[in-house]
Amino acid sequence: MDITGKDLKELSADEVDEVDEVLQAYPRLDFKRAFPQAIADMLASKPETAFYNFTADIAERLIQGFHAPNFYDVILAAPFRE
């Protein structure tokens, strides 16, 4: 939840208040840009640590117009203020 915001809407009002308190104490500090960049930096020096999901590979070849979700897009779409 802290990366993508998935299921954030499922939290109660009290839980959302707690999330806001945590974000006040520990701001995201441009996380949407910094986190993917840290991953990219790691992969630049250790490309063997990257992996792909075989189902996306198959779908991209066999389903016209198929576009697998991109984790970077999921991070950017997270419902957090930066």
Side-chain angles (χ1 to χ4, degrees):
M1 181 181 285
D2 60 334
I3 293 176
T4 67
K6 183 174 177 352
D7 298 328
L8 191 62
K9 293 178 183 177
E10 304 296 320
L11 298 178
S12 69
D14 288 339
E15 291 169 323
V16 169
D17 288 343
E18 290 175 13
V19 169
D20 289 340
E21 289 175 24
V22 169
L23 291 174
Q24 288 291 327
Y26 303 98
R28 291 174 53 86
L29 303 175
D30 198 25
F31 181 85
K32 288 182 181 181
R33 186 207 56 77
F35 179 72
Q37 187 60 55
I39 298 296
D41 292 347
M42 178 193 68
L43 292 176
S45 63
K46 295 187 177 223
E48 68 277 6
T49 62
F51 64 92
Y52 297 92
N53 183 313
F54 71 94
T55 59
D57 294 343
I58 293 169
E60 287 176 352
R61 294 283 178 99
L62 299 178
I63 301 171
Q64 185 176 8
F66 177 83
H67 176 72
N70 181 295
F71 189 63
Y72 187 50
D73 294 336
V74 174
I75 292 170
L76 291 177
F80 301 107
R81 294 182 306 269
E82 291 296 328

